[in-house]
Amino acid sequence: LPRMHQPPFQSLEKQAGSLRMVFLSRLTEKKGLHFLLELLQTQTADIHLDIIGPDTEQGYWQRCLALIAQLPKNVTVNKQDGLPPQAAFEKLVTAHCFVMPTLGENFGHAIFESFLAGRPVLISDQTPWQGLENQLIGFDIQLEDHGGFRTAVDRLAAMDQVEWELWAKSSWRFAEAYLDRGNLAGESERMLNAALE
């Protein structure tokens, strides 16, 4: 179950043409870090990506390092091993968005943690979290739609302080409303059953 306590909303400076992203997950092919790094090859905005998570799949991080070496100078990357839950949460609020083009999640706790932190997400459509753009809380895009992912990164990077804060606060309120439902166990069971069907 997700954490029950939501800290107050924290803003972050956001300039148009600049974007801080965080990828927070185990480093495995399923989570899609390589896919993200390939997408960033063609970005022209100033992008900083924090990669946080343990290397748990043999050879995968070396594959990602090769892709990092090909990134343009306007894209910078910082890597950290896994962090304790509170430290990981605090890292989320230093970013403008959470990104994980995953092959599939039954719930996606890191995704919900991002909403709790008041940060929109950029994820695949292979999770229970759907229709995000209409709610101004992120993007859920088919993995085959590389152009759609690139466009979403462009949109996030182009946001100025006012637009980004609208999305950030919408994300925070989305998590607040989810927690206020009061039946988290039942909701989680419903989402898991839907994913299994």
Side-chain angles (χ1 to χ4, degrees), residues 50-155:
D50 281 312
I51 300 169
I52 303 169
D55 181 7
T56 60
E57 191 170 281
Q58 186 173 5
Y60 184 71
W61 176 239
Q62 294 304 314
R63 176 181 170 191
C64 291
L65 278 175
L67 292 169
I68 290 170
Q70 300 172 35
L71 290 171
K73 291 183 179 179
N74 55 292
V75 180
T76 59
V77 175
N78 181 56
K79 160 74 163 65
Q80 287 183 269
D81 291 331
L83 296 173
Q86 186 56 38
F89 185 85
E90 290 168 1
K91 196 69 176 178
L92 279 169
V93 298
T94 69
H96 297 117
C97 71
F98 170 84
V99 58
M100 187 173 65
T102 177
L103 291 175
E105 302 293 325
N106 290 329
F107 182 84
H109 282 83
I111 298 167
F112 186 72
E113 288 277 307
S114 184
F115 294 141
L116 277 174
R119 298 299 182 259
V121 303
L122 172 55
I123 58 176
S124 74
D125 65 347
Q126 300 300 302
T127 83
W129 309 102
Q130 303 281 313
L132 306 183
E133 185 175 359
N134 291 336
Q135 301 174 77
L136 305 183
I137 61 174
F139 302 90
D140 51 288
I141 301 172
Q142 293 180 354
L143 288 168
E144 300 79 18
D145 187 3
H146 293 202
F149 268 96
R150 289 189 180 95
T151 298
V153 173
D154 288 341
R155 285 192 60 192

Side-chain angles (χ1 to χ4, degrees), residues 167-188:
W167 284 60
K169 287 181 177 177
S170 294
S171 301
W172 191 92
R173 286 192 292 267
F174 175 81
E176 181 185 38
Y178 188 93
L179 290 176
D180 283 347
R181 289 178 190 171
N183 184 23
L184 292 179
E187 287 290 321
S188 298

